[in-house]
Amino acid sequence: LTVVLVRRLVVRPIVQMTATMEQLASGKLSQPIPPYERNRDELGAMARALRVWQTAAAKESRLARMIYDLPVAVMTCDLAHQGRIDYVNRATETLLKRVESEMKVPVDRLVGTAIDDLHRQPTAVWSLIADDRSLPLTRRVTLADRLLELTVSPIHDADGHYLMPMLVWTDITDQARLAERFQAEIQGVGQTVLASAQTLNALAQRLTEAAGT
């Protein structure tokens, strides 16, 4: 009888809690918590702690999914490993796919690659972003036929310590081409106006000379 009670009151709850932890750790965050949260013993404390962990993990998972699905190309680098890329979201993968021919590594192998080895053009990006005192900064990079703008911002923890650089990529090729066309058109209009003014001045001068004769 004592053995049965021990199994029912101690062993079974611990087995349930362990199984729940394993399920949550595997990413199944909707797994129900065993009904021991109201207990005033160690088992209750474990269940309440597991609930807190589940809530925090679910929130972190939603945030991670939101960042991955953002329509903004975001990348982060690991400070502890000399600027190795440790995260890229879907928009980054899509954008860099357009210039993959100019990159040293394929897009699906970006994670783990040093930021300075990202593309074939010699760069020293890491030396600029390793120290948050030089951030934020913006640089433009031409890859293949695309003009990319890279904006780097520092991410800090609650105590102000530099955690990582966040790199945001923007394809500004179309905007740049539009600006070039606009500038060319403005220059063309200016030249036309200048030529017209010169013609009018010449005509006015001839009229003045004719009036004086």
Side-chain angles (χ1 to χ4, degrees), residues 14-107:
I14 290 177
V15 170
Q16 290 177 326
M17 295 290 287
T18 301
T20 300
M21 289 184 202
E22 291 174 349
Q23 291 293 315
L24 293 175
S26 69
K28 298 178 180 179
L29 300 178
S30 60
Q31 182 74 15
I33 304 298
Y36 304 119
E37 293 177 73
R38 295 186 179 182
N39 289 22
R40 296 186 177 182
D41 54 13
E42 289 79 2
L43 194 60
M46 287 178 60
R48 290 188 292 275
L50 201 55
R51 174 71 68 186
V52 171
W53 184 86
Q54 181 189 44
T55 301
K59 182 178 180 179
E60 183 177 347
S61 177
R62 289 193 299 269
L63 181 61
R65 190 71 217 182
M66 180 187 73
I67 295 173
Y68 183 73
D69 289 336
L70 274 177
V72 178
V74 176
M75 171 188 293
T76 60
C77 295
D78 188 350
L79 283 178
H81 293 88
Q82 297 298 309
R84 293 195 178 278
I85 299 168
D86 59 4
Y87 177 80
V88 295
N89 69 348
R90 191 203 308 273
T92 301
E93 295 169 344
T94 301
L95 187 152
L96 294 183
K97 246 330 185 184
R98 303 173 194 164
V99 296
E100 193 171 35
S101 62
E102 293 296 317
M103 295 169 56
K104 290 184 178 180
V105 295
V107 170

Side-chain angles (χ1 to χ4, degrees), residues 106-182:
V107 170
D108 59 3
R109 289 171 48 198
L110 284 175
V111 173
T113 299
I115 187 64
D116 284 346
D117 294 334
L118 184 61
H119 54 82
R120 301 183 190 280
Q121 299 178 12
T123 57
V125 176
W126 179 241
S127 63
L128 297 175
I129 66 178
D131 189 339
D132 61 338
R133 290 175 295 183
S134 64
L135 303 179
L137 65 78
T138 300
R139 292 287 186 273
R140 289 187 174 185
V141 180
T142 299
L143 292 176
D145 62 343
R146 312 304 296 180
L147 179 61
L148 306 182
E149 185 172 82
L150 172 62
T151 301
V152 187
S153 302
I155 303 298
H156 298 98
D157 63 16
D159 296 322
H161 299 126
Y162 185 28
L163 293 178
M164 69 185 76
M166 180 178 68
L167 297 81
V168 176
W169 297 87
T170 307
D171 187 342
I172 60 171
T173 306
D174 294 339
Q175 296 94 311
R177 289 173 179 170
L178 181 61
E180 289 175 358
R181 286 198 298 269
F182 180 74

